[in-house]
Amino acid sequence: MQGPFSTRRGAGLYLLAWLLLAIVFAGLIVAATGAAWTNGLLFAVPVTLVYACATGFSSYYLCRAYPLGERSAISVLLVFFVASLFAGLLWTMLCAGWNSACESLGLLWAGVPMTAPLQAMIVGLGVILYAMAAVAHYLALEFQRARAAERRGLEAALMAQDAELRMLRTQIDPHFLFNSLNSISALTSIDPARARDMTLRLADFFRHSLGLEANRKVTLEAEVTLVMHFIAIEKVRFGARLNVEQAIDAGALDCLLPPMILQPLVENAVKHGIANLTGGGTIRIAAQRAGSVLKIVVENDIDDDPPVAGKGIGLANVRQRLAVAYGHEAGIHWTREARLFRVALSLPALTKELEPSCAS
């Protein structure tokens, strides 16, 4: 059911408002005719509640048929003027019929003198109440439209955010795959066994990563496990030249973060750091939870000479993904020291328990 009785709560509030109007109407009758309050209430309450139901549905469907933004103001005013005048006349006839019925049944205690001034007052009051009902319905319909537009806007924003996250995520896999295939190609001619081992590890890495959705978050523990799969691939090529150190607090392991957010950082550390060092070097991964903030640091040894600047796909991708997922609540900063390159991430420390209410 639509209109004022679409919900029980709405119907209750609507009838309560009209009951208060019926008491006011009874007071006007008492003041105009000198009738007793009992007579005024027994006369006004039934006819007012009947008029409330008829007016509610009539004005509601007229408001739906004549939306403010699609019809001219003159046509809307003319339609509602005629409708309210017609409703006021019908209500006056209803009041007169109810009064006559009470008198014919011998219920003289419920009747009131139906004078000409009283009838004119009922017509005018009926017109005003009908107009008030129409205004209330217009306000309710506009509120519903505003909420629907807001909901559509939020849905569109979420869909756009999801699409952007997926687009950014899809940049990672080809970038990583391209670098890995280059490494396998280089090993094929000098060490076929290691090239085969690296191929198998690469397949294992992608088997684990393909199940991760771009708009879903994983725990830091799962993300570090995936990073170690990547390290295992690279160790086939670098051997003892590639070392990894971890300093991850136990309280940070359950924190959630976008999947494969650390892999491009570690990949950069290998490609632009360890690969340029003759004696190899170390990649250090540290994480700690500081209140509501998760702090992650990835640093690696580098050569004294600055490397040739690349396109910066990894760092730019991570920055964009954090911005889309968390807005201004997350950030990434990198610094270069004498023989060290450090990337620091800060993002909200969300856990599985907080994800439904805080997910971005």
Side-chain angles (χ1 to χ4, degrees):
M1 184 180 294
Q2 296 180 329
F5 299 98
S6 57
T7 63
R8 291 184 179 180
R9 182 180 179 182
L13 292 175
Y14 182 79
L15 293 177
L16 178 60
W18 276 90
L19 182 60
L20 297 176
L21 291 173
I23 296 174
V24 175
F25 182 34
L28 293 175
I29 292 174
V30 171
T33 63
W37 264 100
T38 303
N39 286 21
L41 289 173
L42 293 175
F43 173 81
V45 171
V47 294
T48 301
L49 293 181
V50 172
Y51 187 64
C53 297
T55 300
F57 285 108
S58 173
S59 60
Y60 172 77
Y61 286 108
L62 273 181
C63 289
R64 293 289 300 270
Y66 291 86
L68 293 178
E70 301 177 11
R71 301 297 182 99
S72 65
I74 296 178
S75 63
V76 172
L77 290 175
L78 181 61
V79 166
F80 278 96
F81 174 75
V82 174
S84 61
L85 182 60
F86 187 68
L89 292 173
L90 287 179
W91 191 31
T92 304
M93 295 173 59
L94 175 64
C95 290
W98 170 245
N99 194 61
S100 299
C102 290
E103 291 179 349
S104 63
L105 293 175
L107 303 177
L108 298 179
W109 46 269
V112 296
M114 290 294 294
T115 62
L118 177 60
Q119 294 183 34
M121 183 190 73
I122 294 175
V123 173
L125 186 61
V127 171
I128 294 174
L129 292 177
Y130 192 94
M132 291 176 60
V135 170
H137 285 310
Y138 269 131
L139 291 175
L141 289 173
E142 289 302 316
F143 178 72
Q144 291 176 1
R145 288 193 186 96
R147 290 191 62 182
E150 182 181 4
R151 183 170 60 252
R152 288 194 298 270
L154 289 174
E155 290 174 354
L158 289 175
M159 291 178 64
Q161 183 188 68
D162 180 64
E164 186 172 0
L165 282 171
R166 292 181 184 276
M167 182 272 293
L168 292 171
R169 167 65 192 279
T170 55
Q171 291 180 357
I172 296 176
D173 294 341
H175 184 245
F176 165 54
L177 181 60
F178 175 78
N179 292 334
S180 298
L181 290 178
N182 278 343
S183 300
I184 293 174
S185 176
L187 286 174
T188 301
S189 57
I190 59 176
D191 196 335
R194 290 170 62 194
R196 182 177 181 277
D197 187 18
M198 189 172 184
T199 303
L200 294 176
R201 291 182 182 273
L202 181 63
D204 186 58
F205 174 85
F206 274 103
R207 184 167 57 252
H208 283 83
S209 65
L210 286 177
L212 302 176
E213 297 183 23
N215 60 338
R216 300 289 182 180
K217 294 182 175 61
V218 298
T219 62
L220 176 62
E221 183 176 13
E223 180 71 4
V224 171
T225 301
L226 192 64
V227 167
M228 296 311 296
H229 278 292
F230 167 76
I231 294 295
I233 295 172
E234 295 296 342
K235 282 187 71 69
V236 175
R237 179 160 62 107
F238 292 98
R241 292 173 57 204
L242 175 59
N243 300 298
V244 179
E245 296 179 359
Q246 296 185 44
I248 300 176
D249 292 347
L253 291 175
D254 292 332
C255 291
L256 299 173
L257 66 167
M260 292 189 72
I261 201 76
L262 297 183
Q263 185 272 333
L265 303 181
V266 177
E267 182 180 354
N268 277 354
V270 174
K271 181 179 179 181
H272 301 294
I274 308 303
N276 297 321
L277 297 174
T278 305
T282 302
I283 298 175
R284 302 167 189 86
I285 304 174
Q288 64 175 348
R289 180 174 182 174
S292 60
V293 178
L294 174 63
K295 297 182 178 181
I296 304 174
V297 175
V298 177
E299 61 182 25
N300 61 275
D301 297 328
I302 57 175
D303 198 355
D304 290 330
D305 297 326
V308 178
K311 296 182 179 180
I313 295 177
L315 293 175
N317 186 285
V318 172
R319 182 190 291 277
Q320 287 180 273
R321 292 183 68 196
L322 289 177
V324 172
Y326 301 105
H328 297 294
E329 297 184 49
I332 176 174
H333 304 280
W334 52 85
T335 57
R336 176 186 172 88
E337 298 178 1
R339 296 181 57 86
L340 191 69
F341 187 80
R342 178 183 293 109
V343 180
L345 304 181
S346 62
L347 56 152
L350 302 179
T351 61
K352 289 183 178 180
E353 289 74 18
L354 297 176
E355 186 183 13
S357 59
C358 304
S360 52

